[in-house]
Amino acid sequence: MSVVARQFQMVYLLLEKGRMTAGELAEKLEVSPRTILRDVDALSAAGVPVYTTQGGGGGVALLDGYVLDRAAFTEEEQRQLLTALQSLPGQEGEQALIKLSALFRRSREDWLQVNLSRWGAGEADNEKFRLLKQAAVERQTLSFTYASSYGSTRERKVLPARLVFKGQGWYLQAFDLDREAYRTFRLSRILSPAFTGEVFHRRLDPPDIDFSGDIPPLFRVETRLRFAPCMAYRVYDEFDQSCVAHQPDGSLLVETVFPEDQWLYGYLLSFGAGVEVLSPDTLRKRLALLGQEIFRAHSEPDTPCQVPGDMMGPSQTKEVPTMEQYKDMKFCQSCGMPLGPDTAHGTEADGSPSADYCSYCYKDGKFAGEMTMEQMIDFCAPMMAQANPGMTEEQAKARMHQFFPMLKRWKR
């Protein structure tokens, strides 16, 4: 808490309680009694009529009839404070707004109203926000189910640090106890949050939210997109104006960086025929293939349903960005490890080096143990994440699910 914030809280406590001892104020504000006395001197010098008395029944008090607005805040500061309170959902912000409006002798201004709920969601989103805010303020451990953009839904247990509004949504930054690292969770994907009953005292200092910094280099894709004029409303909703260039034909050219995962393909498909991917070519081709799959699924009634993750993962005929990116490099056709000059190759039955497999997967013409593709991915994901700083095991598995079906061992 800053000095100014502490001194303001002291004045509010004295307005509420009437009189408090230096010890009571020190305990409430988590400082020493000596600091309280210094704050009293500072407030008095600033024109706040605060005084101390000695003996029984003594303590720190304000002169009767003192109102906060005459000494602590300018008119603009009062307006900003009331606006900030008005932007908070829930009864707590409403009660504080009523109190300070009375203290400042100002009527409420109704030009701003913040409703965190999505259309048709009722109060559910507001309730979720209030619960997460309470957890962060009271330092309570949270548990919830999280639906990630990599297609998985998992239970998480976290130490909540702060709520951040960025782009078009609210996010929770928290320390993930399972992964022992800071993670950012979009509020709309947090399902059934609940207190665990555990209070934590660990000091939390999450990094600033940075879209590009959250994406490991292997997952970044620089894109050039051309949007039809009718998509202008969404372009300006979802991209910074500095990324957008008007074209002579009325279309809009957008150059930006995306995370290359399942979310990206679903996002681009949401524009329908209103977007054209100009580059990279691999993204353009994969989007076309996904469009063909969608057409086939809807034009052939007997086509089995596929989950979105399957549709946006590679089929045997699709080009995979990761493999295309390294088309001149050979990979083990079992575990995906690069087969460079320093990598030990497996051996065929006659002892000759295998052209397709590494020594960990293949020896004497046989695979080292029977396993499924899923088991291989589970085995390799921790090593891939460790080799790529910033990549989680969840992201590594998502990447492997994209290119493993293209490997020789798993094609069948």
Side-chain angles (χ1 to χ4, degrees), residues 211-222 257-260 325 399:
F211 179 70
S212 60
D214 287 343
I215 312 171
L218 187 62
F219 283 12
R220 296 178 191 174
V221 54
E222 295 184 7
V257 175
F258 282 114
E260 187 187 354
Q325 221 173 0
R399 173 59 64 189

Side-chain angles (χ1 to χ4, degrees), residues 284-333:
R284 179 184 175 94
K285 290 179 179 178
R286 290 206 70 203
L287 204 63
L289 288 167
L290 284 167
Q292 291 174 11
E293 286 190 18
I294 293 171
F295 174 79
R296 184 166 60 251
H298 287 79
S299 61
E300 300 173 13
D302 295 330
T303 301
C305 261
Q306 294 173 295
V307 297
D310 292 336
M311 290 187 67
M312 294 176 192
S315 68
Q316 292 185 7
T317 60
K318 292 179 185 173
E319 295 183 61
V320 182
T322 302
M323 304 302 286
E324 180 69 20
Q325 221 173 0
Y326 301 102
K327 59 185 178 182
D328 296 328
M329 183 184 295
K330 283 193 172 184
F331 294 85
C332 172
Q333 296 297 300

Side-chain angles (χ1 to χ4, degrees), residues 132 142 144 160 162-163 171-174 183-185 187 190:
L132 298 178
L142 275 176
F144 52 80
R162 63 188 176 203
L163 291 161
Y171 297 85
L172 171 69
Q173 287 190 286
R183 292 289 183 266
T184 299
F185 304 96
L187 261 64
I190 293 176

Side-chain angles (χ1 to χ4, degrees), residues 66-82:
Y66 170 70
V67 287
L68 191 60
D69 64 333
R70 293 181 179 176
F73 298 97
T74 66
E75 284 196 13
E76 180 59 28
E77 288 170 336
Q78 293 172 33
R79 187 176 295 109
Q80 290 175 359
L81 180 57
L82 293 177

Side-chain angles (χ1 to χ4, degrees), residues 23-251:
E24 289 171 337
L25 285 167
E27 182 179 357
K28 202 77 172 175
L29 300 175
E30 299 181 345
V31 294
S32 68
R34 180 174 295 181
T35 298
I36 294 296
L37 296 176
R38 283 201 298 267
D39 285 344
V40 168
D41 291 338
L43 288 168
S44 181
V48 180
V50 60
Y51 64 94
T52 60
T53 56
Q54 304 296 322
V60 183
L62 293 165
L63 287 179
D64 291 341
Y66 170 70
V67 287
L68 191 60
D69 64 333
R70 293 181 179 176
F73 298 97
T74 66
E75 284 196 13
E76 180 59 28
E77 288 170 336
Q78 293 172 33
R79 187 176 295 109
Q80 290 175 359
L81 180 57
L82 293 177
T83 298
L85 285 170
Q86 199 166 348
S87 70
L88 292 176
Q91 291 300 314
E92 301 90 342
E94 180 71 16
Q95 292 168 5
L97 182 61
I98 293 171
K99 289 181 180 179
L100 286 182
S101 295
L103 285 170
F104 292 155
R105 299 176 181 174
R106 300 182 67 92
S107 60
R108 294 177 53 179
E109 300 180 23
D110 293 328
W111 68 272
L112 174 68
Q113 183 181 29
V114 175
N115 190 326
L116 300 177
S117 62
R118 290 162 288 185
W119 296 105
E123 281 293 306
D125 289 334
N126 286 327
E127 288 297 330
K128 184 192 296 184
F129 183 89
R130 286 193 282 269
L131 184 147
L132 298 178
K133 181 189 74 172
Q134 181 183 348
V137 171
E138 298 179 358
R139 305 178 72 78
Q140 295 199 47
T141 305
L142 275 176
S143 65
F144 52 80
T145 303
Y146 190 68
S148 78
S149 61
Y150 298 98
S152 64
T153 302
R154 293 186 178 181
E155 297 299 316
R156 312 300 272 270
K157 185 177 180 182
V158 305
L159 308 181
R162 63 188 176 203
L163 291 161
V164 180
F165 184 84
K166 188 171 179 67
Q168 299 179 46
W170 281 96
Y171 297 85
L172 171 69
Q173 287 190 286
F175 187 83
D176 190 309
L177 292 172
D178 292 330
R179 291 158 180 76
E180 285 291 314
Y182 287 106
R183 292 289 183 266
T184 299
F185 304 96
R186 190 178 178 100
L187 261 64
S188 57
R189 300 177 192 160
I190 293 176
L191 312 176
S192 306
F195 300 124
T196 65
E198 305 168 36
V199 176
F200 64 92
H201 302 285
R202 178 174 185 161
R203 184 178 180 275
L204 299 178
D205 186 23
D208 290 336
I209 288 184
D210 180 358
F211 179 70
S212 60
D214 287 343
I215 312 171
L218 187 62
F219 283 12
R220 296 178 191 174
V221 54
E222 295 184 7
T223 60
R224 294 178 72 247
L225 309 171
R226 180 163 56 215
F227 291 91
C230 63
M231 286 291 150
Y233 74 101
R234 279 196 64 184
V235 170
Y236 288 112
D237 273 351
E238 301 175 34
F239 299 98
D240 186 85
Q241 192 171 347
S242 62
C243 302
V244 183
H246 279 272
Q247 302 302 295
D249 62 356
S251 63

Side-chain angles (χ1 to χ4, degrees), residues 231 234 266-276 287:
M231 286 291 150
R234 279 196 64 184
Y267 175 71
L268 292 175
L269 287 169
S270 73
F271 290 93
V275 65
E276 178 187 359
L287 204 63

